Amino acid sequence: MREVTVASLMQLDIFREHLTLVAGENGLDRSVVFVAVQEAPDFADWLDGGEFVLSTWFAFANDPNKGIAAFRKMAGKVAALAIKVPRFIDEIPPEILRIAHEEKIPVFAVKRDAKFREIIRAISVAINAYQSSVLYETRSYYNELSSIALD
């Protein structure tokens, strides 16, 4: 099984039904390691890397410039960003889209009726399936090497 990328997640039904890629199409090969929900202004300080970030952009609804600064800060770490619109903002700020294109970070608009828990579940299942396949493959190699060593 191949690693989980933004492009592979886009094949999931929930993505086709509830998320629309609006920027960063050149970054679809980014690996997705975690899914996270961002609603705190200092969220970027807590990233490890490889996160698929979901947000309503609540923390930045009244100050888009803080949201833009936060996106710049997380740009080097995240796999992708998905913002629910319209919820707390009516549209994704054009500056976010510009940065996404420059940095090759996929940015999605999430339909208002989409449930984050369902998106989180779908992404988590994909990540867990990949991790399980790696463990299974490792076990197969171990068994084969053990067999060779015993012979």
Side-chain angles (χ1 to χ4, degrees):
M1 178 177 233
R2 297 177 325 173
E3 70 178 334
V4 178
T5 63
V6 177
S8 67
L9 292 175
M10 290 176 67
Q11 303 308 309
L12 300 174
D13 288 342
I14 194 147
F15 272 71
R16 290 194 301 266
E17 295 166 11
H18 295 288
L19 287 87
T20 303
L21 181 68
V22 294
E25 57 277 344
N26 290 330
L28 297 178
D29 59 341
R30 286 177 173 258
S31 295
V32 178
V33 182
F34 305 103
V35 60
V37 177
Q38 180 262 328
E39 297 304 348
D42 65 345
F43 176 77
D45 296 334
W46 299 95
L47 294 170
D48 291 326
E51 289 90 350
F52 188 103
V53 178
L54 297 168
S55 182
T56 62
W57 220 241
F58 173 78
F60 311 115
N62 295 324
D63 191 348
N65 289 328
K66 284 186 180 178
I68 292 165
F71 184 61
R72 275 195 186 103
K73 192 171 185 178
M74 70 173 85
K77 294 183 179 181
V78 299
L81 171 66
I83 302 174
K84 188 178 277 198
V85 289
R87 178 72 170 108
F88 293 104
I89 59 172
D90 291 328
E91 63 181 19
I92 299 171
E95 184 68 9
I96 296 290
L97 304 179
R98 188 188 65 72
I99 294 166
H101 281 301
E102 286 176 5
E103 300 293 329
K104 299 178 182 166
I105 302 165
V107 172
F108 295 85
V110 181
K111 291 181 181 177
R112 191 180 199 294
D113 65 338
K115 295 178 179 157
F116 277 2
R117 72 174 176 263
E118 293 174 3
I119 298 169
I120 291 167
R121 182 183 319 133
I123 294 171
S124 296
V125 165
I127 292 168
N128 288 340
Y130 170 69
Q131 291 171 341
S132 293
S133 73
V134 169
L135 290 172
Y136 180 79
E137 192 173 331
T138 302
R139 182 174 172 238
S140 294
Y141 290 141
Y142 173 79
N143 287 341
E144 186 177 329
L145 288 172
S146 294
S147 204
I148 290 169
L150 291 173
D151 288 343

